[in-house]
mmCIF file of all heavy atoms in Angstrom:
data_model
loop_
_atom_site.group_PDB
_atom_site.id
_atom_site.type_symbol
_atom_site.label_atom_id
_atom_site.label_comp_id
_atom_site.label_asym_id
_atom_site.label_seq_id
_atom_site.Cartn_x
_atom_site.Cartn_y
_atom_site.Cartn_z
ATOM 1 N N LEU A 48 -14.725 7.675 -2.454
ATOM 2 C CA LEU A 48 -15.920 6.871 -2.194
ATOM 3 C C LEU A 48 -17.008 7.073 -3.241
ATOM 4 O O LEU A 48 -17.975 6.313 -3.284
ATOM 5 C CB LEU A 48 -16.475 7.173 -0.802
ATOM 6 C CG LEU A 48 -15.632 6.687 0.376
ATOM 7 C CD1 LEU A 48 -16.366 6.946 1.682
ATOM 8 C CD2 LEU A 48 -15.283 5.203 0.260
ATOM 9 N N ASP A 49 -16.878 8.090 -4.069
ATOM 10 C CA ASP A 49 -17.858 8.328 -5.128
ATOM 11 C C ASP A 49 -17.434 7.696 -6.449
ATOM 12 O O ASP A 49 -18.135 7.833 -7.452
ATOM 13 C CB ASP A 49 -18.053 9.839 -5.341
ATOM 14 C CG ASP A 49 -18.697 10.502 -4.143
ATOM 15 O OD1 ASP A 49 -19.282 9.775 -3.313
ATOM 16 O OD2 ASP A 49 -18.610 11.745 -4.034
ATOM 17 N N TYR A 50 -16.303 7.014 -6.441
ATOM 18 C CA TYR A 50 -15.758 6.487 -7.689
ATOM 19 C C TYR A 50 -16.079 5.003 -7.829
ATOM 20 O O TYR A 50 -15.744 4.189 -6.965
ATOM 21 C CB TYR A 50 -14.246 6.681 -7.717
ATOM 22 C CG TYR A 50 -13.611 6.293 -9.035
ATOM 23 C CD1 TYR A 50 -13.630 7.156 -10.124
ATOM 24 C CD2 TYR A 50 -13.000 5.054 -9.188
ATOM 25 C CE1 TYR A 50 -13.060 6.796 -11.326
ATOM 26 C CE2 TYR A 50 -12.419 4.693 -10.388
ATOM 27 C CZ TYR A 50 -12.444 5.563 -11.461
ATOM 28 O OH TYR A 50 -11.875 5.197 -12.652
ATOM 29 N N GLY A 51 -16.752 4.665 -8.923
ATOM 30 C CA GLY A 51 -17.042 3.262 -9.215
ATOM 31 C C GLY A 51 -17.761 2.568 -8.075
ATOM 32 O O GLY A 51 -18.666 3.113 -7.448
ATOM 33 N N SER A 52 -17.312 1.353 -7.778
ATOM 34 C CA SER A 52 -17.942 0.551 -6.723
ATOM 35 C C SER A 52 -17.092 0.511 -5.463
ATOM 36 O O SER A 52 -17.262 -0.378 -4.621
ATOM 37 C CB SER A 52 -18.180 -0.881 -7.229
ATOM 38 O OG SER A 52 -16.940 -1.504 -7.565
ATOM 39 N N ILE A 53 -16.162 1.469 -5.309
ATOM 40 C CA ILE A 53 -15.216 1.417 -4.196
ATOM 41 C C ILE A 53 -15.932 1.389 -2.844
ATOM 42 O O ILE A 53 -15.598 0.579 -1.973
ATOM 43 C CB ILE A 53 -14.223 2.599 -4.271
ATOM 44 C CG1 ILE A 53 -13.215 2.355 -5.405
ATOM 45 C CG2 ILE A 53 -13.495 2.772 -2.939
ATOM 46 C CD1 ILE A 53 -12.234 3.475 -5.610
ATOM 47 N N LYS A 54 -16.908 2.262 -2.629
ATOM 48 C CA LYS A 54 -17.587 2.293 -1.333
ATOM 49 C C LYS A 54 -18.294 0.976 -1.053
ATOM 50 O O LYS A 54 -18.183 0.420 0.050
ATOM 51 C CB LYS A 54 -18.584 3.456 -1.287
ATOM 52 C CG LYS A 54 -19.282 3.584 0.063
ATOM 53 C CD LYS A 54 -20.190 4.808 0.105
ATOM 54 C CE LYS A 54 -20.866 4.947 1.454
ATOM 55 N NZ LYS A 54 -21.740 6.158 1.507
ATOM 56 N N LYS A 55 -19.018 0.463 -2.029
ATOM 57 C CA LYS A 55 -19.737 -0.805 -1.847
ATOM 58 C C LYS A 55 -18.757 -1.943 -1.562
ATOM 59 O O LYS A 55 -18.980 -2.766 -0.675
ATOM 60 C CB LYS A 55 -20.556 -1.117 -3.106
ATOM 61 C CG LYS A 55 -21.265 -2.468 -3.074
ATOM 62 C CD LYS A 55 -22.139 -2.643 -4.291
ATOM 63 C CE LYS A 55 -21.316 -2.809 -5.559
ATOM 64 N NZ LYS A 55 -20.666 -4.146 -5.633
ATOM 65 N N ASP A 56 -17.670 -1.982 -2.311
ATOM 66 C CA ASP A 56 -16.679 -3.045 -2.122
ATOM 67 C C ASP A 56 -16.031 -2.952 -0.749
ATOM 68 O O ASP A 56 -15.865 -3.964 -0.061
ATOM 69 C CB ASP A 56 -15.595 -2.955 -3.212
ATOM 70 C CG ASP A 56 -16.144 -3.201 -4.604
ATOM 71 O OD1 ASP A 56 -17.211 -3.831 -4.725
ATOM 72 O OD2 ASP A 56 -15.512 -2.756 -5.582
ATOM 73 N N LEU A 57 -15.673 -1.736 -0.348
ATOM 74 C CA LEU A 57 -15.020 -1.554 0.951
ATOM 75 C C LEU A 57 -15.925 -2.008 2.087
ATOM 76 O O LEU A 57 -15.492 -2.714 3.008
ATOM 77 C CB LEU A 57 -14.637 -0.091 1.127
ATOM 78 C CG LEU A 57 -14.000 0.262 2.470
ATOM 79 C CD1 LEU A 57 -12.638 -0.391 2.601
ATOM 80 C CD2 LEU A 57 -13.881 1.766 2.638
ATOM 81 N N LEU A 58 -17.181 -1.607 2.040
ATOM 82 C CA LEU A 58 -18.120 -2.002 3.091
ATOM 83 C C LEU A 58 -18.284 -3.514 3.143
ATOM 84 O O LEU A 58 -18.422 -4.098 4.229
ATOM 85 C CB LEU A 58 -19.472 -1.320 2.868
ATOM 86 C CG LEU A 58 -19.507 0.180 3.154
ATOM 87 C CD1 LEU A 58 -20.844 0.771 2.728
ATOM 88 C CD2 LEU A 58 -19.258 0.448 4.632
ATOM 89 N N PHE A 59 -18.232 -4.151 2.000
ATOM 90 C CA PHE A 59 -18.331 -5.619 1.972
ATOM 91 C C PHE A 59 -17.099 -6.247 2.620
ATOM 92 O O PHE A 59 -17.218 -7.182 3.427
ATOM 93 C CB PHE A 59 -18.470 -6.104 0.530
ATOM 94 C CG PHE A 59 -18.433 -7.603 0.397
ATOM 95 C CD1 PHE A 59 -19.515 -8.376 0.787
ATOM 96 C CD2 PHE A 59 -17.305 -8.245 -0.109
ATOM 97 C CE1 PHE A 59 -19.472 -9.766 0.681
ATOM 98 C CE2 PHE A 59 -17.256 -9.622 -0.224
ATOM 99 C CZ PHE A 59 -18.346 -10.382 0.171
ATOM 100 N N TYR A 60 -15.919 -5.726 2.308
ATOM 101 C CA TYR A 60 -14.685 -6.308 2.839
ATOM 102 C C TYR A 60 -14.601 -6.161 4.356
ATOM 103 O O TYR A 60 -14.192 -7.096 5.057
ATOM 104 C CB TYR A 60 -13.460 -5.647 2.194
ATOM 105 C CG TYR A 60 -13.384 -5.818 0.693
ATOM 106 C CD1 TYR A 60 -12.820 -4.822 -0.112
ATOM 107 C CD2 TYR A 60 -13.877 -6.951 0.073
ATOM 108 C CE1 TYR A 60 -12.753 -4.970 -1.491
ATOM 109 C CE2 TYR A 60 -13.825 -7.104 -1.300
ATOM 110 C CZ TYR A 60 -13.261 -6.103 -2.080
ATOM 111 O OH TYR A 60 -13.204 -6.243 -3.447
ATOM 112 N N ILE A 61 -14.983 -4.998 4.889
ATOM 113 C CA ILE A 61 -14.838 -4.802 6.329
ATOM 114 C C ILE A 61 -16.022 -5.374 7.106
ATOM 115 O O ILE A 61 -16.038 -5.299 8.341
ATOM 116 C CB ILE A 61 -14.626 -3.319 6.697
ATOM 117 C CG1 ILE A 61 -15.835 -2.472 6.320
ATOM 118 C CG2 ILE A 61 -13.353 -2.782 6.060
ATOM 119 C CD1 ILE A 61 -15.686 -0.995 6.753
ATOM 120 N N SER A 62 -16.979 -5.957 6.406
ATOM 121 C CA SER A 62 -18.074 -6.657 7.090
ATOM 122 C C SER A 62 -17.806 -8.153 7.184
ATOM 123 O O SER A 62 -18.612 -8.899 7.736
ATOM 124 C CB SER A 62 -19.407 -6.419 6.359
ATOM 125 O OG SER A 62 -19.394 -7.037 5.080
ATOM 126 N N SER A 63 -16.647 -8.582 6.630
ATOM 127 C CA SER A 63 -16.266 -9.995 6.655
ATOM 128 C C SER A 63 -15.260 -10.229 7.779
ATOM 129 O O SER A 63 -14.471 -9.349 8.112
ATOM 130 C CB SER A 63 -15.649 -10.395 5.307
ATOM 131 O OG SER A 63 -16.540 -10.111 4.241
ATOM 132 N N PRO A 64 -15.269 -11.445 8.388
ATOM 133 C CA PRO A 64 -14.325 -11.744 9.476
ATOM 134 C C PRO A 64 -12.881 -11.632 9.007
ATOM 135 O O PRO A 64 -12.577 -12.003 7.871
ATOM 136 C CB PRO A 64 -14.668 -13.200 9.839
ATOM 137 C CG PRO A 64 -16.069 -13.394 9.338
ATOM 138 C CD PRO A 64 -16.182 -12.551 8.117
ATOM 139 N N PRO A 65 -11.951 -11.179 9.872
ATOM 140 C CA PRO A 65 -12.173 -10.650 11.229
ATOM 141 C C PRO A 65 -12.468 -9.153 11.256
ATOM 142 O O PRO A 65 -12.612 -8.571 12.328
ATOM 143 C CB PRO A 65 -10.834 -10.925 11.910
ATOM 144 C CG PRO A 65 -9.843 -10.717 10.822
ATOM 145 C CD PRO A 65 -10.507 -11.268 9.574
ATOM 146 N N TYR A 66 -12.562 -8.531 10.068
ATOM 147 C CA TYR A 66 -12.766 -7.083 10.042
ATOM 148 C C TYR A 66 -14.127 -6.677 10.597
ATOM 149 O O TYR A 66 -14.284 -5.558 11.084
ATOM 150 C CB TYR A 66 -12.589 -6.555 8.617
ATOM 151 C CG TYR A 66 -11.138 -6.479 8.200
ATOM 152 C CD1 TYR A 66 -10.632 -7.274 7.186
ATOM 153 C CD2 TYR A 66 -10.258 -5.625 8.850
ATOM 154 C CE1 TYR A 66 -9.296 -7.229 6.821
ATOM 155 C CE2 TYR A 66 -8.922 -5.560 8.491
ATOM 156 C CZ TYR A 66 -8.445 -6.366 7.476
ATOM 157 O OH TYR A 66 -7.133 -6.310 7.137
ATOM 158 N N ASN A 67 -15.097 -7.568 10.562
ATOM 159 C CA ASN A 67 -16.395 -7.213 11.127
ATOM 160 C C ASN A 67 -16.290 -6.964 12.633
ATOM 161 O O ASN A 67 -17.023 -6.145 13.189
ATOM 162 C CB ASN A 67 -17.424 -8.300 10.826
ATOM 163 C CG ASN A 67 -17.055 -9.648 11.425
ATOM 164 O OD1 ASN A 67 -15.873 -10.000 11.479
ATOM 165 N ND2 ASN A 67 -18.041 -10.406 11.850
ATOM 166 N N LEU A 68 -15.342 -7.650 13.304
ATOM 167 C CA LEU A 68 -15.129 -7.418 14.733
ATOM 168 C C LEU A 68 -14.289 -6.174 14.973
ATOM 169 O O LEU A 68 -14.531 -5.411 15.912
ATOM 170 C CB LEU A 68 -14.447 -8.636 15.361
ATOM 171 C CG LEU A 68 -15.254 -9.938 15.318
ATOM 172 C CD1 LEU A 68 -14.441 -11.075 15.919
ATOM 173 C CD2 LEU A 68 -16.574 -9.773 16.058
ATOM 174 N N ILE A 69 -13.287 -5.970 14.128
ATOM 175 C CA ILE A 69 -12.413 -4.806 14.273
ATOM 176 C C ILE A 69 -13.194 -3.514 14.088
ATOM 177 O O ILE A 69 -12.993 -2.535 14.817
ATOM 178 C CB ILE A 69 -11.255 -4.892 13.266
ATOM 179 C CG1 ILE A 69 -10.347 -6.066 13.614
ATOM 180 C CG2 ILE A 69 -10.457 -3.598 13.225
ATOM 181 C CD1 ILE A 69 -9.258 -6.330 12.592
ATOM 182 N N PHE A 70 -14.097 -3.519 13.106
ATOM 183 C CA PHE A 70 -14.885 -2.316 12.814
ATOM 184 C C PHE A 70 -16.277 -2.391 13.438
ATOM 185 O O PHE A 70 -17.185 -1.679 13.016
ATOM 186 C CB PHE A 70 -15.013 -2.131 11.305
ATOM 187 C CG PHE A 70 -13.750 -1.689 10.641
ATOM 188 C CD1 PHE A 70 -12.851 -2.620 10.137
ATOM 189 C CD2 PHE A 70 -13.431 -0.342 10.519
ATOM 190 C CE1 PHE A 70 -11.668 -2.226 9.514
ATOM 191 C CE2 PHE A 70 -12.260 0.066 9.909
ATOM 192 C CZ PHE A 70 -11.373 -0.876 9.412
ATOM 193 N N GLU A 71 -16.429 -3.237 14.438
ATOM 194 C CA GLU A 71 -17.735 -3.423 15.061
ATOM 195 C C GLU A 71 -18.253 -2.109 15.634
ATOM 196 O O GLU A 71 -17.524 -1.375 16.301
ATOM 197 C CB GLU A 71 -17.641 -4.471 16.173
ATOM 198 C CG GLU A 71 -18.988 -4.877 16.738
ATOM 199 C CD GLU A 71 -18.844 -6.009 17.737
ATOM 200 O OE1 GLU A 71 -17.778 -6.113 18.360
ATOM 201 O OE2 GLU A 71 -19.793 -6.785 17.888
ATOM 202 N N GLY A 72 -19.479 -1.807 15.339
ATOM 203 C CA GLY A 72 -20.081 -0.569 15.838
ATOM 204 C C GLY A 72 -20.178 0.461 14.729
ATOM 205 O O GLY A 72 -19.249 0.650 13.959
ATOM 206 N N SER A 73 -21.286 1.118 14.660
ATOM 207 C CA SER A 73 -21.529 2.072 13.582
ATOM 208 C C SER A 73 -20.603 3.278 13.657
ATOM 209 O O SER A 73 -20.286 3.901 12.646
ATOM 210 C CB SER A 73 -22.990 2.538 13.610
ATOM 211 O OG SER A 73 -23.291 3.124 14.867
ATOM 212 N N ASP A 74 -20.138 3.628 14.872
ATOM 213 C CA ASP A 74 -19.295 4.814 15.016
ATOM 214 C C ASP A 74 -17.967 4.644 14.285
ATOM 215 O O ASP A 74 -17.488 5.568 13.624
ATOM 216 C CB ASP A 74 -19.036 5.107 16.495
ATOM 217 C CG ASP A 74 -20.290 5.599 17.208
ATOM 218 O OD1 ASP A 74 -21.258 5.955 16.508
ATOM 219 O OD2 ASP A 74 -20.288 5.617 18.452
ATOM 220 N N SER A 75 -17.336 3.483 14.427
ATOM 221 C CA SER A 75 -16.044 3.247 13.769
ATOM 222 C C SER A 75 -16.187 3.314 12.265
ATOM 223 O O SER A 75 -15.395 3.962 11.573
ATOM 224 C CB SER A 75 -15.483 1.882 14.182
ATOM 225 O OG SER A 75 -15.140 1.869 15.543
ATOM 226 N N ILE A 76 -17.190 2.631 11.738
ATOM 227 C CA ILE A 76 -17.392 2.624 10.292
ATOM 228 C C ILE A 76 -17.731 4.017 9.795
ATOM 229 O O ILE A 76 -17.193 4.486 8.785
ATOM 230 C CB ILE A 76 -18.519 1.631 9.917
ATOM 231 C CG1 ILE A 76 -18.092 0.206 10.271
ATOM 232 C CG2 ILE A 76 -18.858 1.744 8.438
ATOM 233 C CD1 ILE A 76 -19.172 -0.829 10.055
ATOM 234 N N ALA A 77 -18.601 4.720 10.511
ATOM 235 C CA ALA A 77 -19.016 6.066 10.087
ATOM 236 C C ALA A 77 -17.837 7.025 10.071
ATOM 237 O O ALA A 77 -17.708 7.847 9.161
ATOM 238 C CB ALA A 77 -20.121 6.582 11.006
ATOM 239 N N GLU A 78 -16.948 6.911 11.065
ATOM 240 C CA GLU A 78 -15.809 7.825 11.121
ATOM 241 C C GLU A 78 -14.832 7.545 9.990
ATOM 242 O O GLU A 78 -14.301 8.466 9.372
ATOM 243 C CB GLU A 78 -15.096 7.710 12.461
ATOM 244 C CG GLU A 78 -13.995 8.742 12.632
ATOM 245 C CD GLU A 78 -13.621 8.971 14.067
ATOM 246 O OE1 GLU A 78 -13.974 8.132 14.917
ATOM 247 O OE2 GLU A 78 -12.962 9.992 14.338
ATOM 248 N N VAL A 79 -14.583 6.279 9.712
ATOM 249 C CA VAL A 79 -13.690 5.919 8.605
ATOM 250 C C VAL A 79 -14.257 6.429 7.284
ATOM 251 O O VAL A 79 -13.544 7.022 6.472
ATOM 252 C CB VAL A 79 -13.484 4.393 8.554
ATOM 253 C CG1 VAL A 79 -12.817 3.977 7.236
ATOM 254 C CG2 VAL A 79 -12.623 3.932 9.723
ATOM 255 N N LEU A 80 -15.551 6.220 7.075
ATOM 256 C CA LEU A 80 -16.176 6.683 5.833
ATOM 257 C C LEU A 80 -16.167 8.200 5.734
ATOM 258 O O LEU A 80 -15.989 8.758 4.639
ATOM 259 C CB LEU A 80 -17.615 6.160 5.743
ATOM 260 C CG LEU A 80 -17.776 4.645 5.572
ATOM 261 C CD1 LEU A 80 -19.252 4.280 5.530
ATOM 262 C CD2 LEU A 80 -17.082 4.155 4.309
ATOM 263 N N ASP A 81 -16.339 8.875 6.865
ATOM 264 C CA ASP A 81 -16.331 10.334 6.865
ATOM 265 C C ASP A 81 -14.971 10.877 6.424
ATOM 266 O O ASP A 81 -14.894 11.835 5.646
ATOM 267 C CB ASP A 81 -16.678 10.850 8.264
ATOM 268 C CG ASP A 81 -16.698 12.377 8.327
ATOM 269 O OD1 ASP A 81 -17.489 12.990 7.582
ATOM 270 O OD2 ASP A 81 -15.910 12.943 9.098
ATOM 271 N N ILE A 82 -13.902 10.264 6.910
ATOM 272 C CA ILE A 82 -12.559 10.689 6.513
ATOM 273 C C ILE A 82 -12.319 10.377 5.038
ATOM 274 O O ILE A 82 -11.817 11.206 4.284
ATOM 275 C CB ILE A 82 -11.502 10.000 7.390
ATOM 276 C CG1 ILE A 82 -11.609 10.513 8.826
ATOM 277 C CG2 ILE A 82 -10.097 10.245 6.847
ATOM 278 C CD1 ILE A 82 -10.734 9.787 9.806
ATOM 279 N N MET A 83 -12.706 9.189 4.633
ATOM 280 C CA MET A 83 -12.506 8.799 3.232
ATOM 281 C C MET A 83 -13.271 9.705 2.276
ATOM 282 O O MET A 83 -12.800 10.009 1.184
ATOM 283 C CB MET A 83 -12.955 7.351 3.021
ATOM 284 C CG MET A 83 -12.022 6.315 3.603
ATOM 285 S SD MET A 83 -12.591 4.667 3.136
ATOM 286 C CE MET A 83 -11.295 3.662 3.831
#
Side-chain angles (χ1 to χ4, degrees):
L48 290 185
D49 293 343
Y50 186 81
S52 61
I53 286 177
K54 183 176 181 179
K55 176 175 70 73
D56 296 338
L57 177 67
L58 288 173
F59 174 74
Y60 299 147
I61 63 177
S62 67
S63 304
Y66 284 114
N67 61 324
L68 297 178
I69 293 174
F70 288 91
E71 188 174 28
S73 58
D74 290 346
S75 293
I76 295 175
E78 186 160 17
V79 167
L80 293 179
D81 180 59
I82 293 173
M83 287 186 176

